């Protein structure tokens, strides 16, 4: 999971649990997402990179450099 890119489908920000869709296991799955930088907000449609993964469905993400 770490290092995979995904797309934000639910806004990520301080005090919010966002959602990202990540391609994995031959499909695309939804994960609860938190920002790695505590005060960062990431809007819907942004591309992110998974920095930490906590099974079964939680990831910490950072903006991807595209």
């Amino acid at each position: 999971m770490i290092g995979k890119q995904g797309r934000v489908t639910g806004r990520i920000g301080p005090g919010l649990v966002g959602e990202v869709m990540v391609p994995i296991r031959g499909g695309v799955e939804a994960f609860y997402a938190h920002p790695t930088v505590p005060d960062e907000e990431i809007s819907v449609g942004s591309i992110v990179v998974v920095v930490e993964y906590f099974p079964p469905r939680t990831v910490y993400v950072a903006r991807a450099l595209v």
Side-chain angles (χ1 to χ4, degrees), residues 8-57:
V8 177
T9 55
R11 189 167 64 100
I12 301 169
L16 300 174
V17 177
E19 181 184 68
V20 295
M21 300 297 285
V22 179
I24 186 168
R25 295 187 278 264
V28 179
E29 297 184 17
F31 291 86
Y32 297 120
H34 300 276
T36 53
V37 177
D39 295 332
E40 184 177 28
E41 289 192 21
I42 305 173
S43 60
V44 173
S46 299
I47 303 296
V48 293
V49 176
V50 176
V51 177
E52 291 187 67
Y53 170 59
F54 297 97
R57 290 263 175 238

